[in-house]
Amino acid sequence: MTVLQLQGTKLEQKRISKPLPLVRFFLASVGLLFIVAMHYFQHNPGGSGLELSFNAAAWIPFSVAISCGLLEICRQKVWRYSRMTLLLFSCCVLLTLPVFYPNADGFAASNRLLTLWAGFLFFTSLQQFVFTHSQRQRLLWFITIAVLIEAVFGWYQFLWLTANNRFGYDIIANRPYGIFQQPNVMASFLATGLVIAAYLLARLPRYRGKWVWQHMILLAVPVLTIPLLVVLNSRTGWLGATIGSLLMLPYLYRFAAKYQQRMWGLMLLLGLALAWQVSST
Protein backbone atom coordinates (compact mmCIF):
# COMPACT_ATOMS: atom_id res chain seq x y z
CA MET A 1 0.00 0.00 0.00
CA THR A 2 1.35 3.41 -0.99
CA VAL A 3 0.76 6.46 1.20
CA LEU A 4 0.89 9.76 -0.65
CA GLN A 5 1.70 12.75 1.53
CA LEU A 6 -0.18 15.78 0.20
CA GLN A 7 -0.10 18.13 3.17
CA GLY A 8 2.10 21.14 2.52
CA THR A 9 2.28 20.51 -1.23
CA LYS A 10 0.46 22.02 -4.19
CA LEU A 11 -1.61 18.85 -4.46
CA GLU A 12 -3.22 19.47 -1.09
CA GLN A 13 -6.92 20.10 -1.45
CA LYS A 14 -7.87 23.64 -0.59
CA ARG A 15 -10.42 23.76 2.17
CA ILE A 16 -12.26 26.49 3.92
CA SER A 17 -10.17 27.36 6.93
CA LYS A 18 -11.67 27.15 10.38
CA PRO A 19 -12.83 28.85 12.42
CA LEU A 20 -14.98 31.08 10.25
CA PRO A 21 -15.49 34.31 12.19
CA LEU A 22 -17.51 35.93 9.41
CA VAL A 23 -20.21 33.27 9.68
CA ARG A 24 -21.49 34.87 12.87
CA PHE A 25 -21.65 38.30 11.26
CA PHE A 26 -23.41 36.83 8.23
CA LEU A 27 -26.00 35.04 10.37
CA ALA A 28 -26.51 38.12 12.52
CA SER A 29 -27.14 40.32 9.48
CA VAL A 30 -29.61 37.82 8.00
CA GLY A 31 -31.38 37.54 11.36
CA LEU A 32 -31.58 41.33 11.61
CA LEU A 33 -32.98 41.45 8.09
CA PHE A 34 -35.81 38.97 8.68
CA ILE A 35 -36.68 39.65 12.31
CA VAL A 36 -36.31 43.44 12.50
CA ALA A 37 -35.51 45.41 9.34
CA MET A 38 -38.11 44.04 6.93
CA HIS A 39 -40.96 44.89 9.32
CA TYR A 40 -40.08 48.57 9.62
CA PHE A 41 -42.99 50.81 8.64
CA GLN A 42 -42.92 54.44 7.63
CA HIS A 43 -45.42 56.47 5.67
CA ASN A 44 -44.46 56.72 2.01
CA PRO A 45 -46.05 57.88 -1.25
CA GLY A 46 -45.79 54.39 -2.75
CA GLY A 47 -43.59 53.33 -5.63
CA SER A 48 -41.04 50.55 -5.76
CA GLY A 49 -37.51 49.72 -4.74
CA LEU A 50 -35.84 52.07 -2.31
CA GLU A 51 -38.81 54.43 -2.50
CA LEU A 52 -40.47 52.12 0.04
CA SER A 53 -39.32 52.53 3.62
CA PHE A 54 -39.12 48.84 4.51
CA ASN A 55 -36.99 48.16 1.43
CA ALA A 56 -34.53 50.87 2.43
CA ALA A 57 -34.32 49.46 5.96
CA ALA A 58 -33.91 45.89 4.70
CA TRP A 59 -31.08 46.81 2.35
CA ILE A 60 -28.83 47.76 5.27
CA PRO A 61 -28.42 44.25 6.80
CA PHE A 62 -28.79 42.74 3.32
CA SER A 63 -25.75 44.70 2.14
CA VAL A 64 -23.82 43.65 5.24
CA ALA A 65 -24.57 39.99 4.47
CA ILE A 66 -23.31 40.38 0.90
CA SER A 67 -20.21 42.17 2.18
CA CYS A 68 -19.47 39.28 4.55
CA GLY A 69 -19.55 36.84 1.64
CA LEU A 70 -17.28 38.98 -0.52
CA LEU A 71 -14.87 39.48 2.36
CA GLU A 72 -14.81 35.73 2.87
CA ILE A 73 -13.74 35.28 -0.75
CA CYS A 74 -10.87 37.71 -0.18
CA ARG A 75 -9.94 36.11 3.13
CA GLN A 76 -9.90 32.56 1.79
CA LYS A 77 -8.60 33.52 -1.67
CA VAL A 78 -11.10 30.97 -2.97
CA TRP A 79 -14.36 31.56 -4.80
CA ARG A 80 -16.74 28.69 -4.17
CA TYR A 81 -19.38 28.21 -6.83
CA SER A 82 -21.52 25.51 -8.37
CA ARG A 83 -23.36 24.83 -11.60
CA MET A 84 -26.34 26.61 -10.12
CA THR A 85 -24.18 29.72 -9.69
CA LEU A 86 -23.23 29.68 -13.37
CA LEU A 87 -26.83 29.03 -14.38
CA LEU A 88 -28.12 31.92 -12.29
CA PHE A 89 -25.39 34.17 -13.66
CA SER A 90 -26.46 33.31 -17.21
CA CYS A 91 -30.09 34.05 -16.33
CA CYS A 92 -29.14 37.41 -14.82
CA VAL A 93 -27.19 38.32 -17.95
CA LEU A 94 -30.12 37.38 -20.19
CA LEU A 95 -32.53 39.41 -18.07
CA THR A 96 -30.17 42.40 -18.21
CA LEU A 97 -29.65 42.40 -21.99
CA PRO A 98 -33.01 44.08 -22.86
CA VAL A 99 -31.89 47.24 -21.08
CA PHE A 100 -29.48 47.82 -23.98
CA TYR A 101 -32.25 47.79 -26.59
CA PRO A 102 -32.64 51.11 -28.47
CA ASN A 103 -36.11 51.82 -27.07
CA ALA A 104 -35.40 50.54 -23.54
CA ASP A 105 -35.95 52.74 -20.49
CA GLY A 106 -32.89 51.93 -18.42
CA PHE A 107 -33.78 54.27 -15.58
CA ALA A 108 -37.21 52.67 -15.08
CA ALA A 109 -35.62 49.21 -14.93
CA SER A 110 -32.67 50.21 -12.73
CA ASN A 111 -34.36 49.23 -9.45
CA ARG A 112 -35.28 45.79 -10.75
CA LEU A 113 -31.84 45.17 -12.22
CA LEU A 114 -30.17 46.29 -9.01
CA THR A 115 -32.31 43.86 -7.04
CA LEU A 116 -31.64 41.08 -9.55
CA TRP A 117 -27.86 41.34 -9.31
CA ALA A 118 -27.94 41.92 -5.56
CA GLY A 119 -29.87 38.67 -5.22
CA PHE A 120 -27.21 36.90 -7.27
CA LEU A 121 -24.48 38.36 -5.06
CA PHE A 122 -26.37 37.21 -1.96
CA PHE A 123 -26.60 33.69 -3.36
CA THR A 124 -22.88 33.76 -4.13
CA SER A 125 -22.13 35.04 -0.62
CA LEU A 126 -24.21 32.24 0.85
CA GLN A 127 -22.04 29.68 -0.92
CA GLN A 128 -18.81 30.97 0.59
CA PHE A 129 -19.60 29.66 4.07
CA VAL A 130 -19.64 26.14 5.45
CA PHE A 131 -22.63 26.12 7.76
CA THR A 132 -23.22 23.58 10.46
CA HIS A 133 -26.57 21.83 10.68
CA SER A 134 -27.75 24.12 13.47
CA GLN A 135 -26.72 27.21 11.51
CA ARG A 136 -28.67 26.07 8.45
CA GLN A 137 -31.67 25.47 10.67
CA ARG A 138 -31.22 28.92 12.18
CA LEU A 139 -31.45 30.56 8.76
CA LEU A 140 -34.78 28.82 8.17
CA TRP A 141 -35.98 29.82 11.63
CA PHE A 142 -35.30 33.46 10.78
CA ILE A 143 -37.69 33.18 7.83
CA THR A 144 -40.29 31.33 9.90
CA ILE A 145 -40.26 33.98 12.62
CA ALA A 146 -40.59 36.69 9.96
CA VAL A 147 -43.61 34.89 8.50
CA LEU A 148 -45.25 34.70 11.93
CA ILE A 149 -44.65 38.41 12.53
CA GLU A 150 -46.21 39.30 9.19
CA ALA A 151 -49.11 36.90 9.79
CA VAL A 152 -49.88 38.56 13.13
CA PHE A 153 -49.62 41.97 11.46
CA GLY A 154 -51.95 40.77 8.70
CA TRP A 155 -54.54 39.62 11.22
CA TYR A 156 -54.26 42.98 12.96
CA GLN A 157 -54.96 44.73 9.66
CA PHE A 158 -57.87 42.44 8.83
CA LEU A 159 -59.65 42.45 12.19
CA TRP A 160 -58.86 45.58 14.15
CA LEU A 161 -57.85 48.47 11.91
CA THR A 162 -60.47 51.15 11.38
CA ALA A 163 -60.95 53.83 8.75
CA ASN A 164 -58.27 56.54 8.53
CA ASN A 165 -55.78 54.32 10.34
CA ARG A 166 -52.14 55.31 10.65
CA PHE A 167 -51.00 52.59 8.24
CA GLY A 168 -53.16 53.83 5.39
CA TYR A 169 -54.77 50.39 5.15
CA ASP A 170 -57.90 50.15 3.01
CA ILE A 171 -60.55 48.51 5.20
CA ILE A 172 -63.03 48.45 2.30
CA ALA A 173 -60.97 46.09 0.15
CA ASN A 174 -59.64 44.50 3.38
CA ARG A 175 -56.89 42.39 1.83
CA PRO A 176 -54.19 42.35 4.54
CA TYR A 177 -50.87 42.83 2.79
CA GLY A 178 -48.69 43.14 5.90
CA ILE A 179 -45.67 45.32 5.37
CA PHE A 180 -45.44 44.52 1.65
CA GLN A 181 -48.23 46.81 0.41
CA GLN A 182 -49.11 44.17 -2.20
CA PRO A 183 -51.38 41.15 -1.44
CA ASN A 184 -49.67 38.74 -3.86
CA VAL A 185 -46.26 39.35 -2.28
CA MET A 186 -47.75 38.79 1.17
CA ALA A 187 -49.41 35.56 0.02
CA SER A 188 -46.18 34.23 -1.51
CA PHE A 189 -44.31 35.00 1.69
CA LEU A 190 -46.90 33.20 3.83
CA ALA A 191 -46.86 30.17 1.52
CA THR A 192 -43.07 30.02 1.81
CA GLY A 193 -43.29 30.05 5.59
CA LEU A 194 -45.87 27.25 5.54
CA VAL A 195 -43.52 24.94 3.62
CA ILE A 196 -40.49 25.83 5.75
CA ALA A 197 -42.45 25.17 8.95
CA ALA A 198 -43.33 21.67 7.72
CA TYR A 199 -39.67 20.96 6.99
CA LEU A 200 -38.47 22.24 10.37
CA LEU A 201 -41.13 20.22 12.19
CA ALA A 202 -39.90 17.03 10.53
CA ARG A 203 -36.32 17.77 11.63
CA LEU A 204 -37.19 18.71 15.22
CA PRO A 205 -37.50 15.75 17.60
CA ARG A 206 -39.15 15.89 20.99
CA TYR A 207 -36.88 16.50 23.97
CA ARG A 208 -37.06 13.51 26.32
CA GLY A 209 -40.38 12.56 24.82
CA LYS A 210 -41.93 15.98 25.51
CA TRP A 211 -43.06 18.79 23.26
CA VAL A 212 -40.86 21.87 23.27
CA TRP A 213 -41.73 25.48 22.54
CA GLN A 214 -40.32 25.21 19.01
CA HIS A 215 -43.02 22.66 18.19
CA MET A 216 -45.71 25.06 19.32
CA ILE A 217 -44.36 27.84 17.11
CA LEU A 218 -44.17 25.61 14.04
CA LEU A 219 -47.65 24.19 14.59
CA ALA A 220 -49.03 27.72 14.86
CA VAL A 221 -47.85 28.57 11.33
CA PRO A 222 -50.63 26.77 9.36
CA VAL A 223 -53.29 28.03 11.77
CA LEU A 224 -52.21 31.64 11.22
CA THR A 225 -51.28 31.54 7.54
CA ILE A 226 -53.92 29.38 5.83
CA PRO A 227 -56.92 31.61 6.72
CA LEU A 228 -54.93 34.67 5.64
CA LEU A 229 -54.14 33.02 2.31
CA VAL A 230 -57.86 32.55 1.75
CA VAL A 231 -58.63 36.13 2.78
CA LEU A 232 -55.92 37.50 0.49
CA ASN A 233 -57.62 35.80 -2.47
CA SER A 234 -54.29 35.41 -4.25
CA ARG A 235 -54.06 32.63 -6.82
CA THR A 236 -50.28 32.82 -6.56
CA GLY A 237 -50.43 32.19 -2.83
CA TRP A 238 -52.99 29.40 -3.17
CA LEU A 239 -50.97 27.65 -5.85
CA GLY A 240 -47.69 27.97 -3.96
CA ALA A 241 -49.15 26.80 -0.66
CA THR A 242 -51.01 23.86 -2.23
CA ILE A 243 -48.12 22.57 -4.34
CA GLY A 244 -45.59 23.14 -1.56
CA SER A 245 -47.72 21.36 1.04
CA LEU A 246 -48.32 18.39 -1.26
CA LEU A 247 -44.61 18.10 -2.02
CA MET A 248 -43.83 18.15 1.71
CA LEU A 249 -46.13 15.21 2.49
CA PRO A 250 -43.64 12.51 1.34
CA TYR A 251 -40.90 14.26 3.29
CA LEU A 252 -43.01 14.34 6.44
CA TYR A 253 -43.96 10.70 5.96
CA ARG A 254 -40.30 9.70 5.72
CA PHE A 255 -38.63 11.87 8.35
CA ALA A 256 -41.32 13.03 10.78
CA ALA A 257 -42.54 10.91 13.65
CA LYS A 258 -46.12 9.68 13.68
CA TYR A 259 -47.20 12.20 16.31
CA GLN A 260 -45.68 15.02 14.25
CA GLN A 261 -47.54 13.89 11.15
CA ARG A 262 -50.83 13.74 13.04
CA MET A 263 -50.37 17.14 14.67
CA TRP A 264 -49.37 18.78 11.38
CA GLY A 265 -52.41 17.31 9.64
CA LEU A 266 -54.62 18.46 12.50
CA MET A 267 -53.24 22.01 12.28
CA LEU A 268 -53.81 22.06 8.52
CA LEU A 269 -57.42 21.03 9.05
CA LEU A 270 -57.82 23.64 11.78
CA GLY A 271 -56.40 26.30 9.48
CA LEU A 272 -58.80 25.27 6.71
CA ALA A 273 -61.72 25.33 9.16
CA LEU A 274 -60.80 28.83 10.30
CA ALA A 275 -60.45 29.89 6.67
CA TRP A 276 -63.95 28.61 5.90
CA GLN A 277 -65.31 30.38 8.98
CA VAL A 278 -63.66 33.68 8.06
CA SER A 279 -64.70 33.54 4.41
CA SER A 280 -68.32 32.74 5.29
CA THR A 281 -68.73 35.71 7.65
Side-chain angles (χ1 to χ4, degrees):
M1 181 179 67
T2 303
V3 178
L4 185 61
Q5 180 68 28
L6 299 180
Q7 186 175 2
T9 69
K10 293 183 178 180
L11 296 177
E12 181 182 6
Q13 184 180 4
K14 292 184 177 181
R15 298 179 180 179
I16 300 297
S17 62
K18 295 183 179 181
L20 297 177
L22 290 178
V23 170
R24 295 182 179 180
F25 291 103
F26 181 84
L27 292 174
S29 59
V30 174
L32 184 64
L33 167 64
F34 282 107
I35 299 177
V36 180
M38 67 167 288
H39 311 289
Y40 171 73
F41 174 80
Q42 181 178 325
H43 289 287
N44 58 83
S48 62
L50 296 179
E51 296 171 350
L52 300 175
S53 55
F54 63 89
N55 279 342
W59 268 86
I60 298 174
F62 185 66
S63 302
V64 173
I66 294 176
S67 301
C68 289
L70 298 180
L71 284 174
E72 186 65 16
I73 295 176
C74 298
R75 192 176 75 90
Q76 298 290 344
K77 297 182 175 60
V78 174
W79 175 38
R80 304 177 72 241
Y81 65 94
S82 62
R83 292 181 180 178
M84 178 61 72
T85 312
L86 301 178
L87 178 62
L88 290 178
F89 177 77
S90 302
C91 293
C92 291
V93 171
L94 291 176
L95 290 172
T96 307
L97 287 178
V99 79
F100 298 104
Y101 291 172
N103 58 344
D105 188 351
F107 180 77
S110 59
N111 283 337
R112 293 174 175 84
L113 291 178
L114 176 63
T115 305
L116 174 69
W117 284 101
F120 173 76
L121 285 178
F122 181 77
F123 178 79
T124 304
S125 300
L126 199 64
Q127 290 184 304
Q128 307 313 310
F129 300 102
V130 179
F131 297 108
T132 63
H133 175 71
S134 61
Q135 289 171 339
R136 290 194 295 269
Q137 298 288 306
R138 196 177 307 162
L139 287 171
L140 296 178
W141 269 103
F142 290 153
I143 302 175
T144 305
I145 294 173
V147 169
L148 286 173
I149 293 174
E150 285 304 312
V152 172
F153 187 33
W155 279 112
Y156 175 68
Q157 290 175 326
F158 182 71
L159 295 175
W160 290 292
L161 285 185
T162 57
N164 301 320
N165 55 82
R166 59 179 178 175
F167 297 106
Y169 177 74
D170 184 4
I171 63 171
I172 304 300
N174 209 13
R175 296 179 69 191
Y177 44 68
I179 197 66
F180 301 106
Q181 301 187 5
Q182 216 288 332
N184 288 325
V185 179
M186 175 70 162
S188 301
F189 190 63
L190 295 178
T192 302
L194 182 64
V195 176
I196 292 177
Y199 167 79
L200 289 175
L201 183 67
R203 309 305 298 182
L204 185 65
R206 286 195 296 184
Y207 178 71
R208 295 181 179 178
K210 298 181 180 179
W211 293 89
V212 293
W213 60 270
Q214 291 96 328
H215 288 107
M216 303 298 106
I217 293 177
L218 295 175
L219 291 174
V221 172
V223 179
L224 291 174
T225 58
I226 291 178
L228 272 182
L229 286 170
V230 174
V231 169
L232 284 165
N233 196 24
S234 169
R235 294 184 180 88
T236 303
W238 293 352
L239 190 63
T242 302
I243 295 177
S245 298
L246 291 176
L247 291 176
M248 284 304 300
L249 290 179
Y251 188 86
L252 287 168
Y253 179 78
R254 180 175 180 181
F255 294 103
K258 293 296 183 182
Y259 67 90
Q260 291 175 321
Q261 298 174 20
R262 290 193 294 267
M263 288 302 299
W264 182 255
L266 181 61
M267 293 301 105
L268 289 178
L269 292 176
L270 181 58
L272 291 172
L274 289 175
W276 179 81
Q277 179 66 26
V278 170
S279 61
S280 61
T281 55

